């Protein structure tokens, strides 16, 4: 069986989104210069727009969210520092061990609820000065939280963590790859979320549908230092305006439509939750990420393979956990197709 239209419904990630025609046209006509000399007007405009969107002094275009996070770690910390991070955070889980290699820091992982930490947890993990222990150099938060199922921090929690970190003289970095999804879900402006962190990374290449690129935002002096580290890591690009141009379209045109993705994720989650053998509370789906578990003895890898043969692509993110992400290139009817495919294959996957 294939989807009726024969079309592949790709729910593996919002990173699979293709640029819009307007983005392609913007790439073609972008005014360019050498960005390592600071002379690409399109990059400069995107960086100014990004900083303004988050209420920060400055911003830096980087090729990926991973580089944005790692440049932030490198800029904030010193070798041997300890960085507080949630145990399922992207920085810990999906960045190839970069904090150890690039910054020479240790990660202190704390288990969150749906990926979210509390101020008490962070407070208890901050080290007191002692010759035996690594100094706490940074707190990293993730909002929305990817492996937490697109969960969103309540603003009060962010403010409490920010206040205690400030009192201890510890900077906060926010992995805000999907910060605009967080803002939409809570009705809290992105600037208010960003105000709880010294630096924020967000991605253009996810639900905002630009082909490439992320922005690291923060104080001007921090970004100036980060610019040097970006160069050190090989992230200094030349006529990068061809990448910044679709990013500008993304910021101008793609933020407001994220509510469609959230509505589709709800529809998907409600459909999935009705399938026997699916463990999912749809009330906890807040943004565009749906993570569900399979009751034993079903395995995620088998179900994902069967779905792919059916034209529905998803990711196995654990032995019994499957992730589906909504985005611009899927629509409401696709959610029903995906639910029907899961229902069918859960039956087919049942061991004899
Ligand atoms: N996440 C990707 C994969 O790496 C898992 C995805 O498909 O969701 N922070 C967060 C919270 C992210 O979700 C991601 C990408 C990144 C950082 C890294 O961004 P890129 O892929 O641009 O390096």
């Amino acid at each position: 069986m294939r989807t009726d239209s024969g079309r592949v419904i790709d729910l593996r990630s919002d990173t699979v989104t293709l640029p819009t025609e307007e983005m392609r046209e913007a790439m073609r006509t972008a005014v360019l210069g050498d960005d390592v000399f600071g002379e690409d007007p399109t990059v400069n405009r995107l960086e100014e727009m990004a900083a303004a969107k988050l209420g920060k002094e400055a911003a830096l275009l980087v090729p990926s969210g991973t580089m944005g996070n790692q440049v932030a770690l490198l800029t904030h910390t010193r070798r041997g520092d300890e960085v507080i991070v949630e145990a399922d955070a992207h920085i810990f889980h999906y960045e190839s061990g970069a904090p150890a290699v690039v910054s020479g820091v240790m990660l202190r992982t704390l288990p969150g609820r749906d990926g979210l930490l509390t101020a008490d947890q962070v407070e208890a993990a901050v080290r007191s000065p002692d010759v035996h222990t690594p100094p706490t150099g940074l707190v990293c938060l993730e909002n929305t939280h990817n492996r937490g199922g697109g969960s969103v921090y309540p603003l009060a929690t962010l403010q409490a963590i920010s206040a205690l970190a400030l009192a201890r003289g510890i900077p906060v970095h926010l992995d805000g790859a999907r910060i605009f999804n967080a803002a939409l879900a809570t009705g809290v402006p992105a600037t208010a979320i960003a105000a709880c962190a010294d630096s924020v990374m967000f991605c253009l290449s996810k639900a905002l549908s630009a082909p490439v690129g992320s922005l690291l935002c923060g104080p001007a002096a921090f970004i100036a230092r980060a610019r040097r580290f970006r160069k050190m890591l090989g992230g200094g690009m030349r006529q990068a305006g061809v990448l910044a141009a679709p990013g500008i379209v993304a910021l101008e045109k793609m933020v407001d439509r994220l509510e469609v993705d959230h509505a589709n994720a709800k529809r998907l989650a409600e459909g999935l939750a009705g399938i026997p053998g699916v463990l999912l509370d749809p009330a906890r789906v807040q943004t565009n990420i749906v993570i569900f578990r399979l009751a034993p003895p079903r395995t995620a890898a088998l179900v994902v393979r069967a779905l792919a043969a059916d034209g529905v692509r998803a990711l196995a993110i654990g032995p019994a956990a499957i992730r589906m992400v909504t985005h611009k290139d899927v629509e409401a009817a696709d959610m029903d197709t995906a639910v029907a495919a899961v229902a069918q294959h859960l039956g087919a996957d049942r061991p004899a």
Side-chain angles (χ1 to χ4, degrees):
M1 183 189 123
R2 303 285 295 171
T3 56
D4 285 347
S5 61
R7 193 167 74 82
V8 172
I9 299 170
D10 196 342
L11 298 168
R12 287 172 302 166
S13 181
D14 46 10
T15 59
V16 303
T17 42
L18 296 176
T20 61
E21 280 310 314
E22 191 178 352
M23 289 179 184
R24 291 174 192 265
E25 187 57 19
M27 293 174 85
R28 201 181 66 76
T29 55
V31 183
L32 304 174
D34 189 325
D35 181 49
V36 173
F37 290 118
E39 291 172 3
D40 188 303
T42 311
V43 172
N44 292 343
R45 182 159 164 246
L46 172 65
E47 290 180 345
E48 280 163 25
M49 278 177 72
K53 275 249 174 211
L54 294 198
K56 298 294 186 196
E57 281 176 5
L60 180 71
L61 176 65
V62 285
S64 67
T66 300
M67 189 184 281
N69 282 335
Q70 295 307 323
V71 165
L73 260 67
L74 199 45
T75 312
H76 280 300
T77 63
R78 295 195 300 187
R79 290 178 70 75
D81 277 358
E82 187 168 76
V83 173
I84 294 175
V85 66
E86 200 277 330
D88 250 339
H90 196 280
I91 286 174
F92 175 61
H93 213 85
Y94 288 131
E95 301 193 4
S96 309
V101 177
V102 177
S103 299
V105 293
M106 341 196 330
L107 297 183
R108 173 86 172 272
T109 56
L110 308 178
R113 181 175 152 84
D114 291 336
L116 309 182
L117 297 175
T118 64
D120 286 348
Q121 276 181 295
V122 175
E123 175 112 69
V126 172
R127 305 276 194 178
S128 303
D130 184 312
V131 71
H132 297 90
T133 57
T136 305
L138 181 67
V139 174
C140 288
L141 304 175
E142 185 173 317
N143 194 25
T144 69
H145 196 290
N146 182 341
R147 287 180 62 87
S151 53
V152 186
Y153 268 101
L155 183 62
T157 307
L158 288 178
Q159 287 171 334
I161 295 174
S162 163
L164 87 85
L166 186 68
R168 301 292 202 106
I170 302 166
V172 176
H173 171 68
L174 178 64
D175 176 348
R178 298 182 178 85
I179 192 171
F180 297 110
N181 296 85
L184 174 67
T186 49
V188 173
T191 47
I193 298 173
C196 299
D198 298 272
S199 59
V200 182
M201 183 284 293
F202 75 88
C203 296
L204 298 166
S205 57
K206 300 201 161 55
L208 299 185
S209 304
V212 174
S214 296
L215 275 305
L216 178 62
C217 307
F222 172 88
I223 294 299
R225 274 167 40 77
R227 193 173 291 279
R228 187 166 166 276
F229 286 128
R230 180 189 69 173
K231 188 75 182 79
M232 185 187 284
L233 298 180
M237 300 177 285
R238 300 297 177 172
Q239 284 73 42
V242 289
L243 302 178
I248 290 170
V249 177
L251 280 182
E252 283 176 340
K253 301 281 173 71
M254 305 303 283
V255 174
D256 289 343
R257 62 152 304 288
L258 294 177
E259 62 188 328
V260 177
D261 300 346
H262 292 194
N264 284 340
K266 269 269 176 243
R267 183 183 183 119
L268 178 65
E270 278 158 11
L272 290 170
I275 300 172
V278 167
L279 308 176
L280 169 67
D281 177 359
R284 287 169 91 153
V285 173
Q286 292 177 275
T287 56
N288 70 329
I289 298 180
V290 179
I291 294 176
F292 59 98
R293 289 184 167 69
L294 303 172
R298 274 93 179 237
T299 60
L302 270 185
V303 172
V304 162
R305 201 179 317 145
L307 288 172
D310 229 11
V312 175
R313 305 189 77 179
L315 272 189
I317 61 160
I322 296 178
R323 185 184 81 157
M324 293 182 169
V325 185
T326 60
H327 52 76
K328 152 180 101 39
D329 295 338
V330 292
E331 50 201 54
D334 295 335
M335 305 301 112
D336 305 339
T337 307
V339 169
V342 172
Q344 178 184 329
H345 286 296
L346 275 192
D349 178 51
R350 195 174 295 126

